[in-house]
Amino acid sequence: MDSTFIIEKSVVILVVFGITMLMAMYSTWAERKVAAYLQDRVGPNRAGWGGLFQPLADGLKLFAKEEFSPNTPNQFLFKVGPGIAMATALMTSAVIPWGDRFHLFGRDILLQATDINVGILYIIGIVSIGVYGIMIGGWASNNKFSLIGAVRASSQMVSYEVAMGLSIVALLMMTGTLSLKEITVQQSGMNWNVFYQPISFLIFLICAFAETNRTPFDLAECETELIGGYHTEYSSMRMGFYLFAEYANMFVSSTVLAVLFFGGYNYPGMSWVVENWGVNFANVLGIGALFIKLCGFIFFFMWVRWTIPRFRYDQLMHLGWRILIPLSIINIMITGVVLLRGEIFAYLGL
Amino acid sequence: MSIQEISLSGRKKVVSNKEMTFVERMYLIAIFKGLGITIKHFFRKKATIHYPEQVREFSPVYRGQHMLKRDEQGRENCTACGLCALSCPAEAITMVAAERKADEKHLYREEKYASIYEINMLRCIFCGLCEEACPKDAIYLTISKELVPASYNREDFIFGKDKLVMPLEMAVKNTQLKNAN
């Protein structure tokens, strides 16, 4: 392995890490702005132009706060919980193709930390580990409300992972690959998967809301019932990590939605741009297209938060187990029938 | 027409407990309707008043801090009849009456005057009943936009004559204005 390869990958990883942090930071600002605008207010507007320095001020405040920890026997777990939540939130972005490839310094630079052939499984696996951060934090807090919040979060995530996985199965039957890079390449032009698998998209979208603990699935931290849920006992930057991890998760979920169903970095006329204006320029536009798509999803996440009230717990379980899972299984069967229609017709002698 | 059918606002809806249809039970249409309503608010004019830069407009019938008036010759109008204190629903006004000396004719208009006149600004509700009760046009609620300043001591909110009586210069100026007109 040559050293330039390592440098190239390190740069890509650092840039992706930085962008994820930046997006998570500014998601907090965007959330407050969107919330305010949807409620006929103007939101934060004092720190910098339009309140743009608000996330910096918030971060600084969280760093400066006293790091309180409750009288719990699990000090180690209490400290490790936010770390797990943050680490898993950041790890998911490793397999996402941010663009095709730049041609710089006489070599092709892939805009992806790693193109493993089980990309989707990797994402689902890491997201499943994310629940440990919440569970451990809630458990180690030595507080009833934290524990209830953590139990709710974990049971909700476990339930919705099933539907999420099944909804992707229908998509994978069509694409025939688990690599996110190849799935993106297959959707070149306007050949987006959402037009072929709308039900799969809908189920995945609903599950993404549940996996990121966002309204209407924010039972884990519903203020009216559980104070702060699993992060009730946390303060200072440890709580900041939990909140940050939630926004990083939202960013990654939006990206996965854009990559799987909305063509990733593809945009109409990309091949024309490659021929006429060069690969690098086409890629810059592609990254822009991906960011427009994922910012649209982030906005949608926030828009829904201020529209739909929270589910009751039994409604949540009803929706997950008795509607979404059967629906995704039916979707898989229909997809299978459509894919194998030639063989079926031949078997029936038509 | 029975009482159930009357709708003064014209927006009355009779709530029914009927079984929802399959489409209604999917909630998707209702959710999209809700999203439509919230996005309309996104583009609506904001109700916020950016306080230090913008100040909310005062109402034309705004009642500000009290003032004990002087007449054209700079004499205090108040005769300490106590009607304002009697009419005050919050019991914020207290006063002590005194008799005017011969050499104080230029200070007080009537033979009796208020030697102490106090309004407790913590009790006052700015209803304006004292102004209505006053037979001598002595007390007025001004349109001054100065609010009662904050303080740590309750005593600071009891405004005596030093803060209530109209400054002499103002009375002089008013007289000049009146004569000019």
Side-chain angles (χ1 to χ4, degrees):
Chain A
M1 199 176 283
D2 57 334
S3 59
T4 44
F5 178 78
I6 294 172
I7 292 170
E8 178 195 316
K9 284 298 172 200
S10 315
V11 168
V12 170
I13 289 168
L14 278 178
V15 168
V16 168
F17 172 76
I19 287 176
T20 312
M21 295 299 259
L22 199 75
M23 288 296 286
M25 237 168 93
Y26 274 92
S27 294
T28 63
W29 171 82
E31 170 105 275
R32 292 173 65 178
K33 271 295 196 197
V34 169
Y37 268 70
L38 289 174
Q39 295 170 353
D40 296 341
R41 299 183 282 115
V42 290
N45 64 351
R46 295 286 144 181
W49 183 84
L52 270 177
F53 293 138
Q54 192 68 44
L56 294 177
D58 287 344
L60 205 67
K61 185 202 79 174
L62 280 173
F63 269 116
K65 285 251 168 181
E66 183 196 351
E67 221 169 322
F68 174 82
S69 78
N71 186 15
T72 162
N74 299 314
Q75 283 295 343
F76 175 70
L77 290 183
F78 184 78
K79 279 169 190 153
V80 101
I84 293 175
M86 195 70 205
T88 52
L90 290 172
M91 271 161 77
T92 20
S93 54
V95 292
I96 287 162
W98 301 96
D100 191 12
R101 60 189 67 216
F102 276 123
H103 197 77
L104 288 174
F105 315 120
R107 46 185 294 133
D108 282 339
I109 298 170
L110 262 180
L111 290 178
Q112 189 176 12
T114 170
D115 180 20
I116 51 177
N117 56 6
V118 287
I120 296 177
L121 288 184
Y122 170 81
I123 286 180
I124 291 185
I126 297 293
V127 167
S128 315
I129 298 174
V131 77
Y132 280 90
I134 293 172
M135 190 67 215
I136 287 173
W139 172 259
S141 290
N142 208 13
N143 176 325
K144 294 175 219 177
F145 294 112
S146 301
L147 186 60
I148 295 172
V151 167
R152 281 187 180 187
S154 42
S155 61
Q156 169 186 322
M157 281 176 135
V158 166
S159 311
Y160 277 76
E161 250 156 38
V162 182
M164 193 182 219
L166 286 175
S167 76
I168 290 182
V169 167
L171 181 76
L172 298 182
M173 283 162 70
M174 221 184 69
T175 58
T177 175
L178 286 161
S179 154
L180 287 167
K181 177 83 185 169
E182 278 176 50
I183 291 175
T184 313
V185 171
Q186 284 174 6
Q187 301 180 77
S188 59
M190 283 295 282
N191 203 15
W192 295 352
N193 281 333
V194 66
F195 303 127
Y196 301 104
Q197 292 285 358
I199 295 175
S200 179
F201 166 67
L202 191 68
I203 296 167
F204 192 88
L205 183 70
I206 295 170
C207 293
F209 274 93
E211 292 286 316
T212 48
N213 279 325
R214 302 261 325 162
T215 326
F217 301 99
D218 62 339
L219 291 104
E221 44 190 295
C222 45
E223 296 88 356
T224 43
E225 297 162 30
L226 298 179
I227 312 173
Y230 56 87
H231 55 65
T232 304
E233 293 285 356
Y234 281 90
S235 63
S236 178
M237 208 53 206
R238 287 190 197 138
M239 192 189 79
F241 262 37
Y242 269 128
L243 302 182
F244 223 64
E246 195 188 314
Y247 284 101
N249 269 329
M250 192 169 80
F251 168 66
V252 172
S253 301
S254 304
T255 317
V256 171
L257 273 162
V259 168
L260 284 183
F261 293 97
F262 280 78
Y265 55 76
N266 286 304
Y267 52 93
M270 192 176 185
S271 49
W272 186 87
V273 176
V274 171
E275 276 169 30
N276 289 288
W277 294 342
V279 183
N280 292 340
F281 189 73
N283 260 316
V284 171
L285 282 184
I287 295 169
L290 179 62
F291 269 86
I292 288 170
K293 285 168 192 169
L294 72 89
C295 287
F297 275 115
I298 289 177
F299 176 76
F300 185 71
F301 270 86
M302 291 166 182
W303 182 11
V304 165
R305 175 168 180 185
W306 303 103
T307 304
I308 310 175
R310 186 182 301 131
F311 278 112
R312 214 170 51 213
Y313 198 70
D314 62 314
Q315 290 172 332
L316 174 93
M317 285 297 156
H318 177 85
L319 178 70
W321 288 101
R322 290 177 62 192
I323 297 175
L324 291 183
I325 291 176
L327 196 64
S328 47
I329 291 173
I330 292 168
N331 192 34
I332 290 171
M333 289 171 74
I334 293 172
T335 312
V337 168
V338 172
L339 283 177
L340 297 176
R341 60 188 181 281
E343 282 88 338
I344 292 169
F345 288 153
Y347 181 74
L348 294 173
L350 290 168
Chain B
M1 205 185 218
S2 71
I3 190 89
Q4 277 87 21
E5 290 160 27
I6 297 169
S7 169
L8 292 176
S9 64
R11 289 182 302 197
K12 186 171 178 177
K13 271 187 189 165
V14 179
V15 181
S16 75
N17 239 351
K18 71 171 174 57
E19 282 275 300
M20 286 192 288
T21 60
F22 177 71
V23 179
E24 279 174 331
R25 259 188 292 140
M26 291 213 305
Y27 292 115
L28 279 177
I29 294 168
I31 286 171
F32 282 117
K33 267 189 200 165
L35 289 172
I37 290 170
T38 41
I39 202 71
K40 249 187 257 163
H41 281 266
F42 192 87
F43 297 108
R44 198 175 274 188
K45 197 175 166 290
K46 304 303 167 214
T48 309
I49 293 168
H50 299 258
Y51 169 61
E53 293 93 37
Q54 291 173 11
V55 181
R56 186 187 291 275
E57 237 179 78
F58 280 86
S59 154
V61 293
Y62 170 75
R63 294 186 289 261
Q65 271 189 39
H66 316 66
M67 185 180 271
L68 286 171
K69 289 266 177 156
R70 293 178 192 271
D71 65 0
E72 288 91 355
Q73 294 157 41
R75 304 175 299 186
E76 282 177 27
N77 280 354
C78 182
T79 181
C81 62
L83 281 178
C84 48
L86 200 66
S87 70
C88 183
E91 296 186 13
I93 305 176
T94 49
M95 65 183 72
V96 173
E99 198 180 341
R100 184 181 68 183
K101 302 274 164 23
D103 57 341
E104 290 174 339
K105 275 191 180 174
H106 64 288
L107 289 176
Y108 310 109
R109 198 172 68 176
E110 311 284 338
E111 285 160 18
K112 193 174 131 217
Y113 72 96
S115 61
I116 296 173
Y117 191 102
E118 283 178 348
I119 301 179
N120 187 337
M121 288 299 180
L122 289 176
R123 303 202 65 151
C124 178
I125 58 172
F126 294 89
C127 62
L129 286 184
C130 46
E131 181 184 327
E132 278 181 37
C134 187
K136 299 286 181 191
D137 283 350
I139 188 160
Y140 273 97
L141 270 71
T142 58
I143 56 164
S144 109
K145 292 188 170 55
E146 267 174 46
L147 305 178
V148 178
S151 171
Y152 289 110
N153 299 318
R154 282 171 180 272
E155 288 72 32
D156 294 347
F157 294 101
I158 298 170
F159 281 23
K161 281 184 82 174
D162 53 327
K163 286 176 184 160
L164 292 171
V165 178
M166 174 191 258
L168 202 57
E169 307 88 69
M170 199 193 267
V172 172
K173 210 189 256 174
N174 283 352
T175 315
Q176 283 169 353
L177 273 175
K178 209 172 183 184
N179 293 338
N181 289 338

